[in-house]
Amino acid sequence: MKQCPKCDSGTIQEATRICRENDYSIVDDEGNVLKKISDHDLPSNDGEVGDSTQVIYCSCGLWWGA
């Protein structure tokens, strides 16, 4: 398992960075939001909405590419 470069006591898990209708978020494998990264003003039919990428997420809030 990877170690978080920011902390040594956080819980690390695989997650997904996804562009949702109103924001970019990190979600777990059940779709629960772990962290909202930022809001956006993309139209709901924009091709980027729904795009996702696998990431590693630490409970301290840091995330990085898987």
Side-chain angles (χ1 to χ4, degrees), residues 6-62:
K6 180 178 178 183
C7 74
D8 61 359
S9 60
T11 303
I12 294 176
Q13 64 182 311
E14 292 183 8
T16 304
R17 177 191 175 274
I18 188 166
C19 178
R20 302 183 320 154
E21 278 196 34
N22 299 312
D23 62 32
Y24 296 97
S25 292
I26 305 288
V27 299
D28 66 14
D29 59 355
E30 295 177 1
N32 300 309
V33 175
L34 300 171
K35 178 177 183 163
K36 183 168 106 172
I37 301 168
S38 66
D39 292 324
H40 65 67
D41 294 329
L42 297 173
S44 61
N45 63 349
D46 188 284
E48 189 172 348
V49 174
D51 281 355
S52 64
T53 277
Q54 293 303 115
V55 297
I56 304 296
Y57 176 78
C58 180
S59 58
C60 74
L62 188 67

